[in-house]
Amino acid sequence: MNAPEINRWSPDEMLRLAASGVAKVDLLGPRGSTLCSMDEITAMAAVCALHGVGPRLLSTPPSTGE
C-alpha cells in the first residue's frame, strides 16, 4: 500500500517536482532550499523513500553488548 503522498502525482510528475527542488538547492545552495515548494520537498522525500533512502527501522533495539 502506498502512502497518499506518493499517489498524489504520476511517477513522471513526482520526478519532475523532485528534480526541480534538487536543481534549486544545487544551483543556489542553502538559499535554494528556502525556495523549494512544499510539493517539491514532498516529492523529494517520496523519491528518497521509494529508493530505500531513510532511517532503518529495526524490529528489535540494537544490542548494548551486556
Side-chain angles (χ1 to χ4, degrees):
M1 178 183 210
N2 287 332
E5 293 81 17
I6 295 172
N7 288 328
R8 183 182 305 175
W9 310 288
S10 69
D12 288 340
E13 179 68 2
M14 181 173 54
L15 288 175
R16 187 195 67 73
L17 284 166
S20 175
V22 169
K24 288 175 185 178
V25 175
D26 186 44
L27 180 65
L28 300 170
R31 172 72 179 130
S33 66
T34 67
L35 300 174
C36 290
S37 71
M38 292 301 290
D39 280 347
E40 289 168 333
I41 294 168
T42 303
M44 286 187 282
V47 169
C48 289
L50 288 171
H51 287 87
V53 176
R56 288 184 58 200
L57 302 176
L58 303 175
S59 59
T60 57
S63 172
T64 61
E66 294 178 3

